[in-house]
Amino acid sequence: MEVSVMKVRPFKGRYCSRQQANRVNDMLLSSKRPDHTALKKEAEEFIEYIKAKRSMQKL
């Protein structure tokens, strides 16, 4: 099982403070992982929709 962790780090207070980085990290760790099968199915449907739309434009 692949585990990928997104993490925000403060860069010497330049981009975000440590407090903001900690808040974002807490949000990222507590968020639900998306259902990749549903996302893939939706992406394939979108690709088919775009192909159909392009073929209509060629006529």
Side-chain angles (χ1 to χ4, degrees), residues 1 3-7 10-11 24 27-30 32-33 35-36 39 45 47-49 51-53 59:
M1 184 170 142
V3 176
S4 60
V5 176
M6 292 175 43
K7 199 166 189 182
F11 183 71
V24 172
M27 253 186 348
L28 289 173
L29 290 174
S30 66
K32 247 177 71 175
R33 288 191 60 158
D35 181 19
H36 291 287
L39 290 174
E45 289 173 0
I47 289 170
E48 292 301 318
Y49 170 75
K51 284 181 181 178
K53 199 156 178 110
L59 295 177

Side-chain angles (χ1 to χ4, degrees), residues 3-30:
V3 176
S4 60
V5 176
M6 292 175 43
K7 199 166 189 182
V8 175
R9 286 183 267 167
F11 183 71
K12 296 181 182 178
R14 185 172 179 184
Y15 299 114
C16 69
S17 66
R18 182 166 301 281
Q19 182 181 16
Q20 289 172 327
N22 288 339
R23 280 188 202 150
V24 172
N25 288 334
D26 289 341
M27 253 186 348
L28 289 173
L29 290 174
S30 66

Side-chain angles (χ1 to χ4, degrees), residues 35-46:
D35 181 19
H36 291 287
T37 55
L39 290 174
K40 186 171 181 168
K41 182 179 176 187
E42 188 177 336
E44 289 170 354
E45 289 173 0
F46 181 71

